[in-house]
Amino acid sequence: MRNVKKKLLVYAHYYYPDVASTGQILKELCEGMKDKFDITVICTVPSYSGKVDGKYTVDKYYNENINEVKVIRVKVPEFSKENKKSRIKNLLTYFFRAVWATLKLEKQDYIFTISQPPILGGALGVIGKLVKGGKLIYNIQDFNPEQTMAVGYSKNKFILNFAMAVDKFSCKIADKVIVVGRDMQETLKNRFKNKNVPKNVFINNWIDEKEIYPLPDNDEKVIAFKRKYSLEDKTIIMYSGNIGLYYDLENLIKVIGKFNDREDVVFAFIGDGSKKLDIENYVNEHNLTNVKFIPYQDKKDLIYSLNSGDIHWVVNAKGIKGVSVPSKLYGVMAAGKTVFGVLDEGSEARLIIEDCKCGVCIEPGKYDFIYEELKKVIDNIHEYKKLGIRGKEYVDKYIKKDVAIQKYSSEILCED
């Protein structure tokens, strides 16, 4: 008798080819579990940048099959990351159209949702469970409203309290909550004051160590990347990823400005986000000549951009401990590059860096200390560059993609 695979519905928000880190992770997760589950993903049309590709502007729904994973894409309006109203309209459109797409599906054995969009991701999972049955697995990549509160994005107590109540309800309804950091398990416990805490487990995010790995300095494509963006013959301090709200970059750029007389150093920002324009304006207003802005790189080219950096920023704003884990850390480590961490003591990313000694860490907000430590690293760059290979060794030992995906499969299946 043929073995019928269990049906798994995944709410992904962003999914490949979008460059959002969660979209890449969920693609690898779904494709890694397709031998065990019949998977359907509900996500937006590619739109992480705020723009929607022309081929996705006609219909409200698009059905695709990507490497044996069924993908239902819902059309959303374009938005600006600097405009709250357009952002909210975009998110609500995804939410309601995802609900409608869910209603048209057959019964499911499992529902898997992530904490994006904030609050709505968890609510989608609850709705999916109620209307399609199955066990609900809630994967919290970022705790909200805690993240919003930490950076002061909203101070409306009614909205924040309502958001907290909704997301706590999603956690309660879930058959299992999966978080991506040890510190995040503490946040979950604190939400429920250590009483009736939902069943939960911690699994690190990962990097595909077969796609990102150390390359020699004389690699032709690394050299070509440096040449393209005028990074040759410089010490390259790189930030690669979302230039958004939760990283305190608008203050760290002021620290970077103190190195404007260093013609031997370049600070490269690769990516986009809601704070990019603010940082660009600061750079222009203060005539910072050694700061470069570079677009997001295609996934196939990420290995070359990451290998181009000598030192990589991995940062979070003050108060983000226990709220999220910067997934850029895993790519930096896999490339064998040294980490310059601005992270709360006891946060998951900092625990990993300190455990394998692949870089240095300073508390967020201590800008004078950050400057002094950064100056020390730059002045002794050849010694500090040697630390990075320890991160690669740690990835190979503890954070391999196949190991993490197997953990997810096991945690989902054990809910039967």
Side-chain angles (χ1 to χ4, degrees):
M1 183 176 177
R2 188 168 62 90
N3 184 29
V4 179
K5 290 188 283 189
K6 295 292 185 75
K7 295 186 180 301
L8 171 63
L9 172 60
V10 176
Y11 294 106
H13 190 202
Y14 294 118
Y15 195 76
Y16 176 86
D18 264 325
V19 295
S21 60
T22 50
Q24 301 291 335
I25 286 170
L26 286 172
K27 176 182 182 290
E28 292 176 0
L29 179 61
C30 289
E31 292 181 5
M33 299 194 302
K34 66 186 180 183
D35 61 325
K36 295 183 176 66
F37 303 100
D38 177 11
I39 301 175
T40 300
V41 174
I42 299 179
C43 61
T44 66
V45 297
S47 54
Y48 182 66
S49 67
K51 301 295 181 183
V52 175
D53 188 284
K55 71 178 183 179
Y56 290 108
T57 57
V58 179
D59 300 319
K60 291 181 180 178
Y61 298 92
Y62 296 85
N63 291 284
E64 300 174 353
N65 189 298
I66 301 177
N67 294 331
E68 301 175 50
V69 175
K70 288 171 284 189
V71 178
I72 301 171
R73 297 192 185 276
V74 305
K75 180 185 171 187
V76 289
E78 294 187 343
F79 67 95
S80 166
K81 293 188 177 183
E82 292 80 33
N83 186 308
K84 285 186 182 180
K85 287 185 178 179
S86 72
R87 182 70 170 145
I88 291 171
K89 182 180 178 182
N90 173 278
L91 296 178
L92 289 176
T93 301
Y94 164 66
F95 177 80
F96 287 112
R97 287 183 175 166
V99 171
W100 184 249
T102 302
L103 294 174
K104 296 183 177 183
L105 295 176
E106 55 192 335
K107 290 290 184 181
Q108 300 290 311
D109 297 297
Y110 305 99
I111 310 291
F112 183 97
T113 193
I114 65 168
S115 54
Q116 293 177 8
I119 312 303
L120 298 180
L124 271 177
V126 172
I127 293 170
K129 176 176 179 173
L130 293 177
V131 300
K132 294 300 170 184
K135 304 287 187 176
L136 172 59
I137 312 298
Y138 187 14
N139 179 210
I140 300 183
Q141 296 280 332
D142 309 285
F143 272 109
N144 271 295
E146 290 93 336
Q147 191 175 47
T148 299
M149 294 161 64
V151 297
Y153 187 63
S154 173
K155 296 182 180 178
N156 186 310
K157 289 188 176 180
F158 173 79
I159 291 176
L160 293 173
N161 289 337
F162 177 74
M164 179 66 82
V166 172
D167 209 56
K168 283 178 67 176
F169 180 74
S170 298
C171 291
K172 286 180 181 178
I173 296 299
D175 295 277
K176 181 174 288 179
V177 175
I178 299 178
V179 295
V180 296
R182 288 162 281 185
D183 53 343
M184 293 178 70
Q185 283 186 298
E186 292 303 313
T187 300
L188 184 64
K189 292 175 184 176
N190 291 337
R191 269 189 170 190
F192 292 89
K193 297 180 171 53
N194 285 313
K195 295 179 180 178
N196 300 315
V197 179
K199 186 177 180 181
N200 65 91
V201 66
F202 144 65
I203 304 175
N204 275 124
N205 281 342
W206 64 87
I207 191 72
D208 188 341
E209 72 284 355
K210 296 174 184 174
E211 293 185 357
I212 306 295
Y213 47 84
L215 293 174
D217 292 339
N218 63 355
D219 181 88
E220 288 183 5
K221 291 192 176 181
V222 172
I223 291 172
F225 178 87
K226 291 181 180 180
R227 186 184 303 119
K228 182 177 181 179
Y229 295 106
S230 302
L231 306 176
E232 315 105 293
D233 304 318
K234 306 275 190 181
T235 294
I236 302 169
I237 314 296
M238 183 173 285
Y239 178 92
S240 179
N242 180 24
I243 306 175
L245 284 169
Y246 309 114
Y247 310 105
D248 199 29
L249 295 174
E250 64 270 33
N251 285 310
L252 293 179
I253 194 64
K254 298 174 184 176
V255 175
I256 288 170
K258 296 180 180 181
F259 293 90
N260 199 33
D261 61 335
R262 295 291 297 261
E263 296 181 359
D264 59 324
V265 178
V266 62
F267 294 89
F269 287 83
I270 301 178
D272 202 348
S274 58
K275 287 296 179 179
K276 183 180 179 182
L277 183 59
D278 292 342
I279 296 170
E280 285 181 316
N281 288 339
Y282 185 91
V283 168
N284 292 330
E285 289 168 9
H286 293 83
N287 194 29
L288 304 186
T289 57
N290 60 352
V291 178
K292 302 281 185 182
F293 292 94
I294 299 170
Y296 270 119
Q297 301 298 295
D298 289 339
K299 189 178 180 183
K300 64 181 175 57
D301 296 324
L302 187 60
I303 183 174
Y304 308 117
S305 62
L306 288 176
N307 271 279
S308 296
D310 295 305
I311 307 292
H312 283 258
W313 294 93
V314 175
V315 302
N316 263 341
K318 187 70 178 173
I320 298 296
K321 173 189 173 183
V323 173
S324 69
V325 180
S327 57
K328 62 179 64 64
L329 171 65
Y330 306 114
V332 173
M333 292 171 66
K337 296 299 178 177
T338 299
V339 178
F340 191 91
V342 182
L343 302 157
D344 282 309
E345 187 174 356
S347 61
E348 179 64 27
R350 183 160 176 171
L351 289 172
I352 292 172
I353 295 165
E354 291 176 342
D355 191 28
C356 67
K357 298 179 174 58
C358 66
V360 298
C361 290
I362 306 102
E363 283 289 307
K366 303 277 180 85
Y367 304 113
D368 289 340
F369 288 103
I370 293 169
Y371 167 75
E372 292 297 335
E373 193 66 31
L374 187 56
K375 184 176 184 301
K376 187 196 303 183
V377 169
I378 292 171
D379 289 342
N380 300 278
I381 189 64
H382 295 296
E383 291 303 312
Y384 278 94
K385 281 173 64 174
K386 296 176 184 176
L387 301 180
I389 198 62
R390 298 173 181 171
K392 168 62 175 169
E393 293 166 353
Y394 189 94
V395 166
D396 287 344
K397 192 172 182 180
Y398 298 110
I399 314 179
K400 284 192 172 185
K401 183 184 81 167
D402 291 346
V403 172
I405 291 174
Q406 181 56 47
K407 288 180 181 178
Y408 269 93
S409 294
S410 298
E411 292 295 340
I412 294 170
L413 287 168
C414 78
E415 286 309 303
D416 270 346

